[in-house]
Amino acid sequence: MKKKKLGNSDLNVSVLGLGCMSLGTDLDKARSIIDAAMDEGINYFDTADLYDFGENEKIVGECLKGRRDKVIIATKAGNRWNEDKSGWSWDPSKKHIKEAVKGSLKRLGTDYIDLYQLHGGTIDDPIDETIEAFEELKADGLIRYYGISSIRPNVVREYAAKSGIVSVMVQYSMLDRRPEEEILPVLEREGISAVTRGPVAKGILSERMLQKASGKGYLDYSHDELERLLPLLKEKLASRPLEEAALHYNLAHPAVAAVVAGASNVEQVRKNASAVRGESLSGAEVSLIRELTKANVYAEHR
């Protein structure tokens, strides 16, 4: 599978990453999915300390045991579970991040994390303190590089200007083109890579289409609009499955290094890998998609 360099790092990530949140807690099932991903050439695995109260990191670490040098592990921090596990609170403090990394390293069964990401963020955070925490972890050799996971343009701009982030994870799809206006241009200019999630818009951009759309529609689209748009997209892109076009739409943007897709079974992994290996979208196809879909904007930046 094709690989791309992540920002100015020396991490070469497969253009398709495995989003591990949907692995579940069955170790054998998770192992079969991760094994299939590696068989397909996927080397980029994304998790977070928040998923399944840390159990997801344990499973990912166990499944990758003995293959650590062949993979790039990305995890996230910044959310702190309440003591009774009934919810979590946001904590981007230096103290919490430097404590959280110890837990992640232990659960993953590794002595370093390839990409450590801030799992959110607001413009009111102590951003300089947060950056300092990541820089110190990097200097200590506990993480190789760091990034953020955010859909807030003002937060992305702050980190792009002040920090050494190599990537930003952001939601992006044909139906959610918000990053094109305020995030992706910043990343492209600064040499920071985008890692995108949600490429098939909760399954709407797949063969199931409206079966996966709620009665309320999706983002700026009403259900009626989706009823008109989805068959039109399928018709105009008839030479390829809609799901394949959706993955390649993300990868067509020069700022995007990889698209992270979840999988709850082996078949899904293989289908996604096959789609990514398909022919890239032509400039005409990208233009057509942009003509048919909305250039969404962020409602708020806080």
Side-chain angles (χ1 to χ4, degrees):
M1 182 176 293
K2 184 179 178 182
K3 294 181 174 62
K4 287 187 177 181
K5 189 174 148 183
L6 202 63
N8 63 1
S9 76
D10 60 0
L11 301 177
N12 289 301
V13 299
S14 50
V15 293
L16 176 65
L18 181 67
C20 296
M21 184 172 68
S22 54
L23 286 177
T25 55
D26 183 314
L27 179 59
D28 290 336
K29 183 179 179 182
R31 192 187 304 279
S32 69
I33 293 170
I34 286 177
D35 286 350
M38 292 196 70
D39 287 345
E40 294 290 342
I42 293 170
N43 74 344
Y44 182 33
F45 297 88
D46 182 86
T47 180
D49 61 2
L50 189 69
Y51 304 159
D52 293 318
F53 308 107
E55 190 65 26
N56 194 262
E57 287 182 323
K58 286 183 184 178
I59 286 175
V60 170
E62 180 63 29
C63 292
L64 293 176
K65 191 177 291 184
R67 303 183 280 189
R68 183 66 185 91
D69 60 331
K70 296 179 173 64
V71 298
I72 291 169
I73 297 176
T75 191
K76 311 180 194 78
N79 294 292
R80 183 197 291 271
W81 280 106
N82 300 340
E83 283 195 24
D84 61 2
K85 300 292 193 280
S86 62
W88 63 84
S89 58
W90 176 239
D91 188 352
S93 68
K94 180 177 179 179
K95 180 180 178 182
H96 173 65
I97 290 169
K98 296 195 76 169
E99 191 61 33
V101 75
K102 296 175 187 176
S104 288
L105 288 166
K106 183 177 180 180
R107 288 187 291 270
L108 288 164
T110 183
D111 55 5
Y112 69 95
I113 293 165
D114 297 292
L115 180 67
Y116 202 37
Q117 301 159 103
L118 184 67
H119 202 173
T122 75
I123 201 66
D124 297 320
D125 290 343
I127 292 176
D128 291 339
E129 178 187 325
T130 303
I131 293 169
E132 192 173 272
F134 282 104
E135 288 289 351
E136 288 181 9
L137 291 177
K138 187 177 175 184
D140 291 341
L142 298 179
I143 67 173
R144 293 176 67 191
Y145 299 97
Y146 65 100
I148 63 170
S149 176
S150 179
I151 61 169
R152 293 182 168 93
N154 57 352
V155 172
V156 171
R157 284 194 294 269
E158 281 291 298
Y159 278 91
K162 292 182 171 182
S163 77
I165 60 170
V166 299
S167 65
V168 173
M169 176 173 265
V170 64
Q171 180 172 299
Y172 181 43
S173 73
M174 291 186 212
L175 299 181
D176 184 1
R177 292 176 49 209
R178 293 175 296 178
E180 291 176 358
E181 184 68 25
E182 297 186 70
I183 291 180
L184 296 180
V186 172
L187 301 186
E188 188 176 4
R189 183 175 67 245
E190 299 296 333
I192 299 166
S193 289
V195 174
T196 64
R197 59 180 177 82
V200 294
K202 297 185 176 178
I204 297 172
L205 292 171
S206 71
E207 296 308 304
R208 291 171 291 175
M209 294 198 291
L210 284 169
Q211 295 173 34
K212 301 297 290 185
S214 69
K216 295 180 180 178
Y218 182 78
L219 294 179
D220 296 342
Y221 294 90
S222 67
H223 192 271
D224 288 345
E225 286 176 314
L226 289 175
E227 281 187 321
R228 293 190 295 271
L229 173 63
L230 295 175
L232 184 59
L233 278 171
K234 188 172 172 60
E235 176 192 339
K236 297 294 186 182
L237 298 167
S239 63
R240 64 172 81 227
L242 189 56
E243 198 163 5
E244 179 180 318
L247 292 169
H248 278 285
Y249 181 76
N250 281 25
L251 292 171
H253 198 288
V256 176
V259 56
V260 171
S264 54
N265 55 62
V266 168
E267 292 71 29
Q268 212 170 356
V269 173
R270 300 204 187 284
K271 185 177 180 181
N272 288 341
S274 176
V276 165
R277 288 196 187 94
E279 189 176 347
S280 300
L281 291 177
S282 67
E285 286 175 312
V286 171
S287 295
L288 173 65
I289 291 166
R290 289 176 178 167
E291 286 173 13
L292 295 175
T293 58
K294 294 181 179 181
N296 326 72
V297 295
Y298 290 101
E300 51 86 20
H301 293 178
R302 289 179 297 161

